[in-house]
Amino acid sequence: TEMASVAQILRSRFRGCLAAAVAGDCIGAEFEGRCRPVDKILGYVEHVNKQRGREVEFTDDTAMARSVASSLIECKGFDARDMATRFAKEYKRESGRGYGGNVITVFYRLLDEGLQDVFEPAREQFDGRGSYGNGGAMRVAPVALYAYGNVEKVQDVAKQTAMITHFNREGYNGAILEALAVHLALQQSKDENLNVVKFVDNLLEKMRIVEVNDAGSSQSEGQAVGQSEDNKTGQSEGTEGDQSEEEKGSKEAASSKEASLPDQPYCAKLEIMKEFLQREKVSRQEVQDQLGNDIKALNSVPAAIFSFLHCTRSVDDIPTDNALERTIIYAISLGGDTDTIATMAGAIAGAYYGIEYVPPPWMKACEGANDAVRFADQLYCLATGETIEK
Ligand code: R7I
Ligand code: MG
Ligand code: MG
Ligand code: MG
């Protein structure tokens, strides 16, 4: 029936989201921290396609996404303490998955059973500024599935799950943006070509509210949480007193510009992305320079979203008709934090194209790909209240 087919498509998209996220992490891991010509990546994909077992291993990105998924499933909802404990225990079980350099300090503290506030260790990272790394965003896809159909819940739970390790606004807002992109991808009809500019406009509309609401709320200026307002004001008055009128004027101009852009850094990146998408050609160099490709959430979530949108069309040097495959290869070809950019791009692409687009050889080669399908089915049941007969 019609209804059954709508349900089947949605279920395929849930599966595609988590399976492509795993594939992006596994395949992208080979190139993390490097920037290789696209030929080398295509060659590596050929190699992956010939594997018969589960040789291509996942990294921390998938390890943590699995904890997010299993916590939501087991608790039938978000439980910060349970999720935090899963992160920490998983790290203790397999610490060699390539975790971020500082997040492991949080894990050790989370293992302490006397800990009162699960968010405290993350809050104290980097002298009270919290981590701006992409660790909150890289693992967030299961949240968008769990909260399917409720955009407020998507944003709220994305933020909470990120804050267990990433208290910096760039860290958790990156998780919100990635979750919104997955959410939006799940909702898009595939009957007509995706309007990529409208997709970005949708994200901009949501992120404006997110970024305006917590601008200056905490760590945006590198200010330690807890530093008193008096102290801040005192400092700025002291400096301005010594300046000439001319210097003062240019400083005011600079700070009013800063108020509109750096307070909304994700919106600024989305505006650049929109401009890129309206152009005939965009070089990888421009994407790297302007959107970024590193471990900062701000310099990787936009690159992942762009990879998905850019690859809805053919890409000259990536000769595949499969747009999901193209997305992951393109994301990796941006270099830098390749496993993470590819896992985030994969999650969005998978949510749009569905599991049928994840190449079967990848499902076979990538460690954790089948588990991802199982998690997706369980999240589907949780989100829709439907049951899947096995
Ligand atoms: O964000 P996180 O979980 O790392 C994820 C990355 C992904 O690429 C994974 O694939 C894995 O390779 O690691 O881990 P964090 O330790 O919170 O952040 C990662 C790194 O970002 C830290 O080790 C720091 O080098 C840097 N960093 C900061 N540096 C200075 N000041 C994050 N926040 C700050 C900061 O506030
Ligand atoms: Mg990793
Ligand atoms: Mg790493
Ligand atoms: Mg990485």
Side-chain angles (χ1 to χ4, degrees):
T1 70
E2 279 298 302
M3 285 309 288
S5 94
V6 169
Q8 273 162 10
I9 291 167
L10 186 59
R11 195 171 139 202
S12 162
R13 288 176 144 190
F14 271 54
R15 289 176 162 196
C17 175
L18 297 193
V22 169
D25 179 28
C26 290
I27 300 170
E30 176 74 10
F31 301 94
E32 194 182 24
R34 297 190 286 163
C35 190
R36 306 289 288 148
V38 76
D39 286 356
K40 298 282 180 214
I41 299 159
L42 293 169
Y44 180 66
V45 168
E46 282 300 301
H47 163 80
V48 167
N49 289 344
K50 282 188 225 129
Q51 302 303 308
R52 318 192 113 259
R54 311 232 149 262
E55 290 82 353
V56 191
E57 293 179 355
F58 64 71
T59 79
D60 60 321
D61 304 50
T62 300
M64 296 197 83
R66 290 159 65 101
S67 292
V68 170
S70 64
S71 180
L72 292 170
I73 292 162
E74 295 299 321
C75 301
K76 294 187 165 51
F78 176 62
D79 178 327
R81 170 72 66 163
D82 178 85
M83 196 174 284
T85 304
R86 283 175 200 264
F87 288 157
K89 284 193 172 156
E90 177 57 30
Y91 169 71
K92 206 172 150 195
R93 203 172 68 82
E94 293 182 333
S95 60
R97 293 278 187 184
Y99 284 89
N102 291 72
V103 71
I104 61 183
T105 314
V106 176
F107 297 149
Y108 285 116
R109 293 201 48 205
L110 290 174
L111 285 169
D112 175 3
E113 282 173 15
L115 183 71
Q116 294 289 320
D117 175 3
V118 274
F119 296 101
E120 183 184 282
R123 216 158 38 224
E124 293 179 354
Q125 290 289 87
F126 298 99
D127 301 318
R129 276 168 284 133
S131 171
Y132 56 51
N134 54 24
M138 72 185 184
R139 63 179 186 236
V140 82
V143 171
L145 305 187
Y146 155 71
Y148 174 75
N150 182 344
V151 72
E152 298 300 327
K153 192 168 162 189
V154 169
Q155 296 180 70
D156 181 48
V157 180
K159 182 173 181 175
Q160 299 292 317
T161 59
M163 280 173 112
I164 296 170
T165 51
H166 290 67
F167 208 79
N168 187 290
R169 70 189 287 254
E170 279 187 20
Y172 60 73
N173 282 345
I176 292 175
L177 177 55
E178 169 68 10
L180 282 170
V182 172
H183 170 81
L184 207 53
L186 283 172
Q187 319 275 331
Q188 301 298 310
S189 159
K190 278 200 292 176
D191 297 341
E192 51 208 279
N193 285 340
L194 183 67
N195 184 335
V196 294
V197 171
K198 200 170 154 208
F199 192 97
V200 179
D201 276 332
N202 259 311
L203 293 175
L204 263 170
E205 193 189 313
K206 297 275 187 297
M207 289 307 289
R208 281 261 180 255
I209 298 167
V210 168
E211 293 199 300
V212 167
N213 282 348
D214 84 346
S217 69
S218 54
Q219 319 84 345
S220 55
E221 298 126 62
Q223 219 86 41
V225 174
Q227 183 172 349
S228 77
E229 282 300 321
D230 290 357
N231 189 8
K232 272 193 262 179
T233 317
Q235 275 175 352
S236 73
E237 268 169 13
T239 10
E240 270 176 29
D242 296 336
Q243 284 175 334
S244 70
E245 283 307 309
E246 198 188 333
E247 277 172 329
K248 224 173 175 176
S250 71
K251 206 188 163 196
E252 267 165 30
S255 73
S256 77
K257 203 170 153 200
E258 267 167 28
S260 64
L261 285 179
D263 259 5
Q264 298 170 34
Y266 283 101
C267 290
K269 297 268 182 163
L270 288 166
E271 295 285 5
I272 298 169
M273 192 185 308
K274 210 164 97 175
E275 195 267 313
F276 282 176
L277 290 164
Q278 286 164 307
R279 277 205 235 156
E280 197 54 51
K281 271 209 158 24
V282 186
S283 71
R284 290 189 168 87
Q285 189 66 54
E286 286 175 288
V287 178
Q288 291 157 356
D289 290 347
Q290 302 216 39
L291 298 182
N293 66 352
D294 64 39
I295 45 99
K296 288 181 80 172
L298 183 62
N299 292 340
S300 50
V301 175
I305 297 170
F306 178 76
S307 296
F308 162 63
L309 295 172
H310 181 64
C311 292
T312 53
R313 292 193 289 172
S314 63
V315 173
D316 280 350
D317 54 10
I318 306 178
T320 171
D321 293 334
N322 180 330
L324 185 148
E325 190 180 348
R326 186 189 305 139
T327 300
I328 287 178
I329 293 170
Y330 180 82
I332 297 170
S333 78
L334 291 174
D337 196 355
T338 52
D339 60 338
T340 305
I341 298 173
T343 203
M344 296 190 295
I348 305 164
Y352 181 67
Y353 298 110
I355 190 74
E356 293 78 14
Y357 279 68
V358 183
W362 292 9
M363 292 300 297
K364 227 160 104 184
C366 296
E367 179 192 14
N370 287 342
D371 292 340
V373 170
R374 191 165 44 78
F375 283 131
D377 285 348
Q378 289 173 309
L379 288 167
Y380 178 84
C381 294
L382 191 58
T384 64
E386 289 175 35
T387 49
I388 297 169
E389 62 290 349
K390 270 272 137 74

